[in-house]
Amino acid sequence: MRSHFYYRPPLPLLISFPTLRDLAINQEPVFMPAAMPEMTPAGLQPRARLARRRIIATLLNLLTYGAMLWWLADILGAGGWSVIDVLIFLCFAVAAPWSVLGVWNALLGVWLLHGRRDPMDVVAPFAAAGDRFVPITSRTAILMTVRNEDPSRAFVRLRAIRDSVEATGFGRQFAYFVLSDSDDLQVAAAEEQAFTAWQAEVGNGADDLHYRRRDDNSGFKAGNVRDFCERWGSGFEFMLPLDADSLMSGEMIVRLVRIGEAWPKLGILQSLVVGAPTSSAFARIFQFGMRHGMRPYTMGSAWWGGDCGPFWGHNALVRIAPFRDQCHLPVLPGGPPLGGQILSHDQVEAVLMRRAGFEVRVLPQEGESWEDNPPTVFEFTRRDLRWCQGNMQYFRLVGLQGLQPMSRFQLIWAIMMFVGIPAWTAIIVLAALKPLDGENLATFPALSALSFYIVFLLMFLAPKLAGFIDIALTNGGLARYGGARKFALGAVVEIVFSFLLGAATTFRTGLFMLGLAFGRTILWNGQARDAHALSWATAARGLWGQTLFGILLWGAAWHLAPALIGPSLPLTLGYFVAIPFAVLTSAPVFGRWLEQRGLCAIPEEIAPPTILLRIQSNSLANSLANPPAPPAALAPHEVP
């Protein structure tokens, strides 16, 4: 708390020896303390410092964005402006901001991590409180929300979390709640059976275990958590919400609580959640890319985001009183898809917490905080569609009274994350049709256009490249990933994967966004979190549209501008190979092939923490005794 107060020495030390001038006017010297800077609510940083950082980040982004627009305008306007030129320019203007911000977040993150002596003190001055070995006195409720999930899978994780917390010696300060919204009676019965078995195993200490299933599922997960806050929240200072695939070590949880206790105006503290080891090739490659790119990106965004940080809805410490009293989600007017209950609740809760005068911070540091990534391209897309629909609802929330300017930007940015997706798809189509606009190709600045395209690809890859640089510059970083050779090969695999995945998923998301205008919506059920193979027939049923789009796109390019086919492959190949891509990345044999060669391995696979070893052994035993439900029964689906 030293940032709150200046040290004032005893009075005798404040009085100087009088000078002749002082004696002549009989005036005792007065020593005025320096003016205190205006601080963020928790007193962590001066507001002026954060304002300067935000101005710097804004200028860097605007200058880069403006330069890219000017460059593109110079290319498109070389032979005069056609309708296609105008459409390409407008689509790029909508789509580019997300990529530009990614560039600067990544670059700022690398600069902080490797150009500053103590980057955590610069970005997260609260973090040091978590390393102090002092007792914790507050009570924390650890919540796991489930809805038609595989009960054995969820309970294995929560039991491991409890055992890990007990091992810290602070187990009496925690209680555990399984909050169920399951409406599948068979799943609900299995949940109750798993909970009863857990109680029997714990024995006399089971008074900290609680299970509650709602009959009314209003508000989905957010409503479930709110129901907890209103019923039991008064008995706890903090809650730590978890998803059914979440996992955290006791040491990490205790660290978050220590930070929360040290800073009473810290409302939400989000841990840096990373993917857990998996047998799914799809999830393995995806989380390899996310893992090394996430640290610099999060560090850079936290540098200027400061007290208006993100909340991802799980693996985070939340102060219950302000959350319960000030973060009640509004019900939007009208019906689905853009009205009714808010689907992407976490970002709204973050801005409401900040409006209530409490800081929302992210701890931009890898710790023992994990989640499972989707095991197939279908599960990945379904998750994205739910986020997409929820983020589009933010259009009606940007004008909420009392929000911080930074909080409004957060909501706008969450909208732009998905608005840009159909714009990129439209650019690809328009580029293939460019020869039809009648301009003289001899005057077209082909070299400038190619250079622009390469720069754009580098911008797209900037967070990944920054992650590669971070790992290479970190002492022992490459060894954590199996060595330089395996890391480099994994990076190549992941870059190719990201381009193929981008084509397959952005096409589907673009169609979904068009469907929102006609009342199509998505319902959320349990998710298929375990690795499973996709048949060729299943992949074809779900991805024939992408394949047809790719064939038409290449056909148009072949007739109009064959020279474009080769350079466009990073952005267009994914459409054409979407079906085999889905089958291959879900195939168990491909997952085993990657695992045997150590490709795309994450640090926890090379040196597994104790809690992950326990999860793996318990999961194996449970899977033999209770085979998981078929993935199709656990999938969210669209409805008209």
Side-chain angles (χ1 to χ4, degrees), residues 181-238:
D181 265 342
S182 298
D183 55 7
D184 183 316
L185 296 182
Q186 187 175 2
V187 173
E191 288 173 358
E192 294 178 10
Q193 183 179 0
F195 180 74
T196 302
W198 188 19
Q199 280 184 312
E201 180 183 314
V202 172
N204 293 333
D207 56 345
D208 65 342
L209 308 182
H210 308 272
Y211 171 82
R212 190 271 288 122
R213 184 172 74 90
R214 292 195 303 168
D215 293 326
D216 175 14
N217 303 139
S218 61
F220 309 111
K221 175 185 171 182
N224 204 342
V225 173
R226 172 146 298 278
D227 179 73
F228 161 81
C229 290
E230 293 173 352
R231 292 187 184 212
W232 298 286
S234 60
F236 302 91
E237 177 71 18
F238 302 106

Short mmCIF file of all heavy atoms in Angstrom, two decimals, residues 181-238:
data_model
loop_
_atom_site.label_atom_id
_atom_site.label_comp_id
_atom_site.label_asym_id
_atom_site.label_seq_id
_atom_site.Cartn_x
_atom_site.Cartn_y
_atom_site.Cartn_z
N ASP A 181 -26.90 -26.71 -14.28
CA ASP A 181 -28.05 -26.29 -15.09
C ASP A 181 -28.50 -27.42 -16.01
O ASP A 181 -29.18 -27.18 -17.01
CB ASP A 181 -27.69 -25.07 -15.94
CG ASP A 181 -28.09 -23.77 -15.26
OD1 ASP A 181 -28.92 -23.81 -14.34
OD2 ASP A 181 -27.56 -22.71 -15.65
N SER A 182 -28.12 -28.64 -15.69
CA SER A 182 -28.41 -29.77 -16.57
C SER A 182 -29.91 -30.04 -16.62
O SER A 182 -30.57 -30.14 -15.58
CB SER A 182 -27.68 -31.03 -16.08
OG SER A 182 -26.29 -30.84 -16.12
N ASP A 183 -30.44 -30.15 -17.84
CA ASP A 183 -31.85 -30.51 -17.98
C ASP A 183 -32.01 -31.90 -18.59
O ASP A 183 -33.13 -32.35 -18.83
CB ASP A 183 -32.60 -29.48 -18.82
CG ASP A 183 -31.96 -29.25 -20.17
OD1 ASP A 183 -31.03 -29.98 -20.53
OD2 ASP A 183 -32.41 -28.33 -20.89
N ASP A 184 -30.90 -32.58 -18.82
CA ASP A 184 -30.93 -33.99 -19.21
C ASP A 184 -30.98 -34.82 -17.92
O ASP A 184 -30.02 -34.81 -17.13
CB ASP A 184 -29.69 -34.32 -20.03
CG ASP A 184 -29.68 -35.75 -20.55
OD1 ASP A 184 -30.02 -36.67 -19.78
OD2 ASP A 184 -29.33 -35.95 -21.73
N LEU A 185 -32.09 -35.50 -17.68
CA LEU A 185 -32.28 -36.19 -16.40
C LEU A 185 -31.26 -37.28 -16.17
O LEU A 185 -30.86 -37.55 -15.03
CB LEU A 185 -33.70 -36.77 -16.35
CG LEU A 185 -34.84 -35.74 -16.37
CD1 LEU A 185 -36.18 -36.43 -16.25
CD2 LEU A 185 -34.65 -34.70 -15.26
N GLN A 186 -30.80 -37.91 -17.23
CA GLN A 186 -29.79 -38.95 -17.08
C GLN A 186 -28.46 -38.35 -16.63
O GLN A 186 -27.79 -38.88 -15.74
CB GLN A 186 -29.61 -39.70 -18.41
CG GLN A 186 -28.70 -40.91 -18.31
CD GLN A 186 -28.67 -41.70 -19.62
OE1 GLN A 186 -29.29 -41.31 -20.61
NE2 GLN A 186 -27.94 -42.79 -19.62
N VAL A 187 -28.11 -37.21 -17.22
CA VAL A 187 -26.88 -36.52 -16.81
C VAL A 187 -27.02 -36.02 -15.38
O VAL A 187 -26.08 -36.13 -14.57
CB VAL A 187 -26.57 -35.36 -17.77
CG1 VAL A 187 -25.40 -34.53 -17.25
CG2 VAL A 187 -26.26 -35.89 -19.16
N ALA A 188 -28.20 -35.46 -15.04
CA ALA A 188 -28.41 -34.96 -13.68
C ALA A 188 -28.27 -36.06 -12.65
O ALA A 188 -27.69 -35.87 -11.57
CB ALA A 188 -29.79 -34.31 -13.58
N ALA A 189 -28.81 -37.24 -12.95
CA ALA A 189 -28.69 -38.37 -12.02
C ALA A 189 -27.23 -38.77 -11.84
O ALA A 189 -26.78 -39.10 -10.73
CB ALA A 189 -29.50 -39.56 -12.53
N ALA A 190 -26.46 -38.73 -12.94
CA ALA A 190 -25.04 -39.07 -12.85
C ALA A 190 -24.28 -38.03 -12.03
O ALA A 190 -23.34 -38.37 -11.29
CB ALA A 190 -24.44 -39.18 -14.25
N GLU A 191 -24.67 -36.76 -12.13
CA GLU A 191 -24.05 -35.72 -11.33
C GLU A 191 -24.28 -35.98 -9.84
O GLU A 191 -23.34 -35.92 -9.03
CB GLU A 191 -24.64 -34.35 -11.70
CG GLU A 191 -24.22 -33.82 -13.04
CD GLU A 191 -24.97 -32.56 -13.43
OE1 GLU A 191 -25.86 -32.12 -12.66
OE2 GLU A 191 -24.69 -32.01 -14.51
N GLU A 192 -25.51 -36.27 -9.48
CA GLU A 192 -25.82 -36.52 -8.08
C GLU A 192 -25.08 -37.74 -7.55
O GLU A 192 -24.60 -37.75 -6.41
CB GLU A 192 -27.33 -36.70 -7.92
CG GLU A 192 -28.13 -35.44 -8.21
CD GLU A 192 -29.62 -35.66 -8.09
OE1 GLU A 192 -30.01 -36.73 -7.58
OE2 GLU A 192 -30.40 -34.77 -8.50
N GLN A 193 -24.97 -38.76 -8.39
CA GLN A 193 -24.24 -39.96 -7.98
C GLN A 193 -22.77 -39.65 -7.77
O GLN A 193 -22.16 -40.10 -6.79
CB GLN A 193 -24.41 -41.04 -9.05
CG GLN A 193 -23.74 -42.36 -8.70
CD GLN A 193 -23.96 -43.41 -9.78
OE1 GLN A 193 -24.61 -43.15 -10.80
NE2 GLN A 193 -23.41 -44.59 -9.57
N ALA A 194 -22.16 -38.86 -8.69
CA ALA A 194 -20.75 -38.51 -8.56
C ALA A 194 -20.51 -37.65 -7.32
O ALA A 194 -19.51 -37.82 -6.61
CB ALA A 194 -20.28 -37.78 -9.81
N PHE A 195 -21.45 -36.74 -7.04
CA PHE A 195 -21.28 -35.89 -5.86
C PHE A 195 -21.41 -36.70 -4.57
O PHE A 195 -20.63 -36.51 -3.63
CB PHE A 195 -22.32 -34.77 -5.88
CG PHE A 195 -22.22 -33.85 -4.70
CD1 PHE A 195 -21.20 -32.93 -4.61
CD2 PHE A 195 -23.15 -33.93 -3.65
CE1 PHE A 195 -21.10 -32.09 -3.52
CE2 PHE A 195 -23.05 -33.10 -2.55
CZ PHE A 195 -22.02 -32.16 -2.49
N THR A 196 -22.36 -37.62 -4.53
CA THR A 196 -22.53 -38.47 -3.34
C THR A 196 -21.28 -39.30 -3.09
O THR A 196 -20.84 -39.46 -1.93
CB THR A 196 -23.76 -39.37 -3.51
OG1 THR A 196 -24.92 -38.57 -3.72
CG2 THR A 196 -23.96 -40.25 -2.29
N ALA A 197 -20.70 -39.83 -4.15
CA ALA A 197 -19.48 -40.62 -4.01
C ALA A 197 -18.33 -39.75 -3.49
O ALA A 197 -17.53 -40.20 -2.66
CB ALA A 197 -19.10 -41.23 -5.36
N TRP A 198 -18.27 -38.51 -3.94
CA TRP A 198 -17.22 -37.59 -3.47
C TRP A 198 -17.42 -37.29 -1.99
O TRP A 198 -16.45 -37.32 -1.20
CB TRP A 198 -17.27 -36.32 -4.31
CG TRP A 198 -16.15 -35.36 -4.06
CD1 TRP A 198 -14.94 -35.63 -3.46
CD2 TRP A 198 -16.11 -33.97 -4.39
NE1 TRP A 198 -14.17 -34.52 -3.42
CE2 TRP A 198 -14.85 -33.48 -3.98
CE3 TRP A 198 -17.02 -33.11 -5.00
CZ2 TRP A 198 -14.49 -32.14 -4.16
CZ3 TRP A 198 -16.64 -31.79 -5.18
CH2 TRP A 198 -15.41 -31.31 -4.77
N GLN A 199 -18.64 -37.02 -1.59
CA GLN A 199 -18.91 -36.77 -0.18
C GLN A 199 -18.49 -37.96 0.69
O GLN A 199 -17.88 -37.80 1.75
CB GLN A 199 -20.41 -36.51 0.03
CG GLN A 199 -20.87 -35.11 -0.30
CD GLN A 199 -22.33 -34.92 0.04
OE1 GLN A 199 -23.16 -35.75 -0.31
NE2 GLN A 199 -22.65 -33.83 0.74
N ALA A 200 -18.83 -39.16 0.23
CA ALA A 200 -18.48 -40.36 1.00
C ALA A 200 -16.97 -40.52 1.11
O ALA A 200 -16.44 -40.93 2.15
CB ALA A 200 -19.11 -41.59 0.35
N GLU A 201 -16.27 -40.18 0.04
CA GLU A 201 -14.81 -40.30 0.05
C GLU A 201 -14.17 -39.31 1.01
O GLU A 201 -13.23 -39.63 1.74
CB GLU A 201 -14.27 -40.08 -1.36
CG GLU A 201 -12.76 -40.17 -1.47
CD GLU A 201 -12.29 -39.87 -2.88
OE1 GLU A 201 -12.89 -40.40 -3.84
OE2 GLU A 201 -11.33 -39.09 -3.02
N VAL A 202 -14.69 -38.07 1.04
CA VAL A 202 -14.13 -37.04 1.92
C VAL A 202 -14.46 -37.32 3.37
O VAL A 202 -13.67 -37.08 4.28
CB VAL A 202 -14.65 -35.65 1.49
CG1 VAL A 202 -14.23 -34.58 2.50
CG2 VAL A 202 -14.12 -35.30 0.10
N GLY A 203 -15.67 -37.85 3.62
CA GLY A 203 -16.05 -38.23 4.99
C GLY A 203 -16.41 -37.03 5.84
O GLY A 203 -17.20 -36.17 5.44
N ASN A 204 -15.81 -36.93 7.01
CA ASN A 204 -16.19 -35.89 7.98
C ASN A 204 -15.91 -34.48 7.49
O ASN A 204 -16.49 -33.52 7.99
CB ASN A 204 -15.46 -36.12 9.30
CG ASN A 204 -15.92 -37.40 9.98
OD1 ASN A 204 -17.05 -37.84 9.78
ND2 ASN A 204 -15.04 -38.00 10.78
N GLY A 205 -15.02 -34.33 6.53
CA GLY A 205 -14.69 -32.99 6.04
C GLY A 205 -15.55 -32.53 4.89
O GLY A 205 -15.25 -31.53 4.24
N ALA A 206 -16.65 -33.25 4.63
CA ALA A 206 -17.44 -32.96 3.44
C ALA A 206 -18.39 -31.78 3.61
O ALA A 206 -19.17 -31.48 2.71
CB ALA A 206 -18.26 -34.20 3.05
N ASP A 207 -18.33 -31.09 4.74
CA ASP A 207 -19.25 -29.97 4.93
C ASP A 207 -18.89 -28.78 4.04
O ASP A 207 -19.65 -27.81 3.95
CB ASP A 207 -19.27 -29.53 6.40
CG ASP A 207 -17.89 -29.17 6.93
OD1 ASP A 207 -16.89 -29.52 6.27
OD2 ASP A 207 -17.82 -28.54 7.99
N ASP A 208 -17.74 -28.82 3.39
CA ASP A 208 -17.39 -27.75 2.46
C ASP A 208 -17.79 -28.07 1.03
O ASP A 208 -17.48 -27.31 0.12
CB ASP A 208 -15.89 -27.44 2.53
CG ASP A 208 -15.02 -28.61 2.06
OD1 ASP A 208 -15.55 -29.74 2.01
OD2 ASP A 208 -13.84 -28.39 1.74
N LEU A 209 -18.49 -29.18 0.81
CA LEU A 209 -18.90 -29.59 -0.53
C LEU A 209 -20.40 -29.35 -0.70
O LEU A 209 -21.20 -29.70 0.18
CB LEU A 209 -18.60 -31.08 -0.76
CG LEU A 209 -17.18 -31.56 -0.47
CD1 LEU A 209 -17.06 -33.04 -0.80
CD2 LEU A 209 -16.16 -30.74 -1.24
N HIS A 210 -20.77 -28.78 -1.85
CA HIS A 210 -22.17 -28.45 -2.08
C HIS A 210 -22.52 -28.74 -3.55
O HIS A 210 -21.73 -28.50 -4.45
CB HIS A 210 -22.44 -26.97 -1.78
CG HIS A 210 -21.97 -26.53 -0.43
ND1 HIS A 210 -22.74 -26.63 0.70
CD2 HIS A 210 -20.78 -26.01 -0.03
CE1 HIS A 210 -22.07 -26.18 1.74
NE2 HIS A 210 -20.87 -25.79 1.33
N TYR A 211 -23.74 -29.23 -3.74
CA TYR A 211 -24.25 -29.49 -5.09
C TYR A 211 -25.66 -28.91 -5.18
O TYR A 211 -26.49 -29.12 -4.29
CB TYR A 211 -24.29 -30.98 -5.39
CG TYR A 211 -25.01 -31.34 -6.67
CD1 TYR A 211 -24.37 -31.25 -7.90
CD2 TYR A 211 -26.34 -31.76 -6.64
CE1 TYR A 211 -25.03 -31.57 -9.08
CE2 TYR A 211 -27.01 -32.08 -7.81
CZ TYR A 211 -26.36 -31.99 -9.03
OH TYR A 211 -27.01 -32.30 -10.19
N ARG A 212 -25.94 -28.15 -6.28
CA ARG A 212 -27.26 -27.59 -6.47
C ARG A 212 -27.57 -27.61 -7.97
O ARG A 212 -26.80 -27.17 -8.78
CB ARG A 212 -27.32 -26.16 -5.94
CG ARG A 212 -28.73 -25.58 -5.89
CD ARG A 212 -29.14 -24.88 -7.16
NE ARG A 212 -28.48 -23.61 -7.36
CZ ARG A 212 -27.74 -23.34 -8.43
NH1 ARG A 212 -27.57 -24.23 -9.36
NH2 ARG A 212 -27.18 -22.15 -8.58
N ARG A 213 -28.75 -28.16 -8.29
CA ARG A 213 -29.20 -28.15 -9.68
C ARG A 213 -30.45 -27.30 -9.79
O ARG A 213 -31.41 -27.49 -9.05
CB ARG A 213 -29.49 -29.57 -10.19
CG ARG A 213 -29.87 -29.60 -11.69
CD ARG A 213 -29.95 -31.02 -12.19
NE ARG A 213 -31.14 -31.71 -11.72
CZ ARG A 213 -32.31 -31.71 -12.36
NH1 ARG A 213 -32.44 -31.02 -13.51
NH2 ARG A 213 -33.34 -32.37 -11.89
N ARG A 214 -30.43 -26.36 -10.74
CA ARG A 214 -31.58 -25.47 -10.95
C ARG A 214 -32.58 -26.12 -11.90
O ARG A 214 -32.20 -26.75 -12.89
CB ARG A 214 -31.13 -24.15 -11.58
CG ARG A 214 -30.29 -23.27 -10.69
CD ARG A 214 -30.23 -21.85 -11.25
NE ARG A 214 -29.72 -21.79 -12.61
CZ ARG A 214 -29.79 -20.70 -13.39
NH1 ARG A 214 -30.37 -19.61 -12.93
NH2 ARG A 214 -29.29 -20.71 -14.61
N ASP A 215 -33.85 -25.94 -11.60
CA ASP A 215 -34.89 -26.32 -12.55
C ASP A 215 -35.11 -25.22 -13.58
O ASP A 215 -35.42 -25.47 -14.74
CB ASP A 215 -36.20 -26.61 -11.82
CG ASP A 215 -36.10 -27.84 -10.94
OD1 ASP A 215 -35.38 -28.77 -11.33
OD2 ASP A 215 -36.71 -27.85 -9.86
N ASP A 216 -34.94 -23.96 -13.13
CA ASP A 216 -35.09 -22.82 -14.02
C ASP A 216 -33.71 -22.39 -14.47
O ASP A 216 -32.89 -21.96 -13.66
CB ASP A 216 -35.79 -21.68 -13.28
CG ASP A 216 -35.86 -20.40 -14.11
OD1 ASP A 216 -35.61 -20.48 -15.33
OD2 ASP A 216 -36.16 -19.35 -13.54
N ASN A 217 -33.42 -22.51 -15.76
CA ASN A 217 -32.08 -22.21 -16.27
C ASN A 217 -31.96 -20.79 -16.80
O ASN A 217 -31.15 -20.52 -17.70
CB ASN A 217 -31.71 -23.20 -17.38
CG ASN A 217 -31.79 -24.64 -16.93
OD1 ASN A 217 -32.25 -25.50 -17.65
ND2 ASN A 217 -31.36 -24.93 -15.70
N SER A 218 -32.73 -19.87 -16.26
CA SER A 218 -32.70 -18.49 -16.76
C SER A 218 -31.31 -17.89 -16.59
O SER A 218 -30.65 -18.06 -15.57
CB SER A 218 -33.71 -17.63 -16.00
OG SER A 218 -33.39 -17.59 -14.62
N GLY A 219 -30.88 -17.17 -17.63
CA GLY A 219 -29.59 -16.51 -17.58
C GLY A 219 -28.42 -17.41 -17.88
O GLY A 219 -27.27 -16.95 -17.86
N PHE A 220 -28.68 -18.70 -18.12
CA PHE A 220 -27.60 -19.64 -18.45
C PHE A 220 -26.53 -19.60 -17.35
O PHE A 220 -26.85 -19.54 -16.17
CB PHE A 220 -27.03 -19.35 -19.84
CG PHE A 220 -28.09 -19.25 -20.90
CD1 PHE A 220 -28.37 -18.04 -21.51
CD2 PHE A 220 -28.83 -20.36 -21.27
CE1 PHE A 220 -29.35 -17.93 -22.47
CE2 PHE A 220 -29.82 -20.27 -22.24
CZ PHE A 220 -30.07 -19.06 -22.84
N LYS A 221 -25.26 -19.64 -17.74
CA LYS A 221 -24.19 -19.70 -16.75
C LYS A 221 -24.19 -18.45 -15.85
O LYS A 221 -24.02 -18.55 -14.63
CB LYS A 221 -22.84 -19.83 -17.44
CG LYS A 221 -21.65 -19.78 -16.49
CD LYS A 221 -20.34 -19.78 -17.23
CE LYS A 221 -19.17 -19.52 -16.28
NZ LYS A 221 -17.88 -19.47 -17.00
N ALA A 222 -24.38 -17.27 -16.46
CA ALA A 222 -24.38 -16.04 -15.66
C ALA A 222 -25.50 -16.06 -14.63
O ALA A 222 -25.32 -15.63 -13.49
CB ALA A 222 -24.51 -14.83 -16.58
N GLY A 223 -26.67 -16.56 -15.01
CA GLY A 223 -27.78 -16.67 -14.08
C GLY A 223 -27.50 -17.66 -12.98
O GLY A 223 -27.92 -17.48 -11.82
N ASN A 224 -26.79 -18.72 -13.31
CA ASN A 224 -26.41 -19.73 -12.34
C ASN A 224 -25.50 -19.13 -11.26
O ASN A 224 -25.70 -19.33 -10.06
CB ASN A 224 -25.71 -20.88 -13.06
CG ASN A 224 -25.78 -22.19 -12.30
OD1 ASN A 224 -26.05 -22.22 -11.11
ND2 ASN A 224 -25.52 -23.28 -12.99
N VAL A 225 -24.50 -18.38 -11.71
CA VAL A 225 -23.57 -17.75 -10.77
C VAL A 225 -24.28 -16.70 -9.94
O VAL A 225 -24.04 -16.57 -8.73
CB VAL A 225 -22.38 -17.15 -11.54
CG1 VAL A 225 -21.48 -16.35 -10.61
CG2 VAL A 225 -21.57 -18.26 -12.22
N ARG A 226 -25.17 -15.93 -10.57
CA ARG A 226 -25.92 -14.91 -9.82
C ARG A 226 -26.78 -15.56 -8.73
O ARG A 226 -26.89 -15.03 -7.61
CB ARG A 226 -26.78 -14.08 -10.76
CG ARG A 226 -27.73 -13.13 -10.04
CD ARG A 226 -27.94 -11.87 -10.79
NE ARG A 226 -26.69 -11.13 -10.93
CZ ARG A 226 -26.20 -10.33 -10.00
NH1 ARG A 226 -26.83 -10.18 -8.84
NH2 ARG A 226 -25.08 -9.69 -10.19
N ASP A 227 -27.39 -16.68 -9.05
CA ASP A 227 -28.19 -17.39 -8.06
C ASP A 227 -27.34 -17.78 -6.86
O ASP A 227 -27.77 -17.66 -5.71
CB ASP A 227 -28.82 -18.63 -8.70
CG ASP A 227 -29.66 -19.42 -7.72
OD1 ASP A 227 -30.76 -18.97 -7.37
OD2 ASP A 227 -29.20 -20.51 -7.29
N PHE A 228 -26.10 -18.23 -7.12
CA PHE A 228 -25.20 -18.54 -6.02
C PHE A 228 -24.93 -17.31 -5.18
O PHE A 228 -24.97 -17.35 -3.94
CB PHE A 228 -23.87 -19.10 -6.55
CG PHE A 228 -22.76 -19.01 -5.53
CD1 PHE A 228 -22.65 -19.96 -4.53
CD2 PHE A 228 -21.87 -17.94 -5.55
CE1 PHE A 228 -21.66 -19.85 -3.56
CE2 PHE A 228 -20.88 -17.83 -4.59
CZ PHE A 228 -20.77 -18.79 -3.60
N CYS A 229 -24.61 -16.18 -5.84
CA CYS A 229 -24.27 -14.95 -5.11
C CYS A 229 -25.41 -14.52 -4.20
O CYS A 229 -25.17 -14.09 -3.06
CB CYS A 229 -23.93 -13.84 -6.09
SG CYS A 229 -22.37 -14.07 -6.99
N GLU A 230 -26.62 -14.62 -4.68
CA GLU A 230 -27.75 -14.16 -3.88
C GLU A 230 -28.11 -15.12 -2.76
O GLU A 230 -28.60 -14.70 -1.71
CB GLU A 230 -28.95 -13.94 -4.81
CG GLU A 230 -28.72 -12.78 -5.79
CD GLU A 230 -29.82 -12.65 -6.82
OE1 GLU A 230 -30.69 -13.56 -6.88
OE2 GLU A 230 -29.82 -11.66 -7.58
N ARG A 231 -27.83 -16.42 -2.94
CA ARG A 231 -28.16 -17.40 -1.90
C ARG A 231 -27.06 -17.54 -0.87
O ARG A 231 -27.32 -17.59 0.34
CB ARG A 231 -28.43 -18.76 -2.53
CG ARG A 231 -29.69 -18.84 -3.37
CD ARG A 231 -29.93 -20.26 -3.79
NE ARG A 231 -31.08 -20.40 -4.66
CZ ARG A 231 -31.88 -21.45 -4.70
NH1 ARG A 231 -31.65 -22.47 -3.87
NH2 ARG A 231 -32.88 -21.50 -5.53
N TRP A 232 -25.83 -17.67 -1.33
CA TRP A 232 -24.73 -18.01 -0.43
C TRP A 232 -23.59 -16.98 -0.41
O TRP A 232 -22.66 -17.11 0.36
CB TRP A 232 -24.13 -19.36 -0.84
CG TRP A 232 -25.07 -20.51 -0.75
CD1 TRP A 232 -25.51 -21.13 0.39
CD2 TRP A 232 -25.72 -21.19 -1.83
NE1 TRP A 232 -26.38 -22.15 0.09
CE2 TRP A 232 -26.53 -22.22 -1.27
CE3 TRP A 232 -25.69 -21.06 -3.22
CZ2 TRP A 232 -27.29 -23.08 -2.06
CZ3 TRP A 232 -26.46 -21.91 -4.00
CH2 TRP A 232 -27.25 -22.90 -3.43
N GLY A 233 -23.68 -15.97 -1.27
CA GLY A 233 -22.55 -15.06 -1.43
C GLY A 233 -22.16 -14.32 -0.18
O GLY A 233 -20.99 -13.97 0.01
N SER A 234 -23.11 -14.04 0.72
CA SER A 234 -22.79 -13.27 1.92
C SER A 234 -21.82 -14.01 2.84
O SER A 234 -21.20 -13.39 3.71
CB SER A 234 -24.07 -12.94 2.68
OG SER A 234 -24.75 -14.13 3.06
N GLY A 235 -21.66 -15.29 2.66
CA GLY A 235 -20.75 -16.05 3.52
C GLY A 235 -19.31 -16.08 3.02
O GLY A 235 -18.46 -16.71 3.66
N PHE A 236 -19.03 -15.39 1.92
CA PHE A 236 -17.70 -15.45 1.31
C PHE A 236 -17.27 -14.06 0.84
O PHE A 236 -18.10 -13.24 0.45
CB PHE A 236 -17.69 -16.41 0.12
CG PHE A 236 -18.12 -17.81 0.46
CD1 PHE A 236 -19.45 -18.19 0.36
CD2 PHE A 236 -17.19 -18.74 0.89
CE1 PHE A 236 -19.85 -19.47 0.67
CE2 PHE A 236 -17.58 -20.03 1.21
CZ PHE A 236 -18.91 -20.41 1.11
N GLU A 237 -15.97 -13.84 0.87
CA GLU A 237 -15.41 -12.61 0.31
C GLU A 237 -15.21 -12.73 -1.20
O GLU A 237 -15.48 -11.80 -1.95
CB GLU A 237 -14.06 -12.30 0.98
CG GLU A 237 -13.35 -11.07 0.43
CD GLU A 237 -14.03 -9.77 0.81
OE1 GLU A 237 -14.82 -9.77 1.76
OE2 GLU A 237 -13.76 -8.74 0.15
N PHE A 238 -14.74 -13.91 -1.63
CA PHE A 238 -14.43 -14.12 -3.04
C PHE A 238 -15.14 -15.36 -3.57
O PHE A 238 -15.52 -16.26 -2.81
CB PHE A 238 -12.92 -14.32 -3.24
CG PHE A 238 -12.06 -13.20 -2.75
CD1 PHE A 238 -11.31 -13.34 -1.58
CD2 PHE A 238 -11.98 -12.00 -3.44
CE1 PHE A 238 -10.50 -12.31 -1.12
CE2 PHE A 238 -11.19 -10.96 -2.98
CZ PHE A 238 -10.44 -11.12 -1.83
#
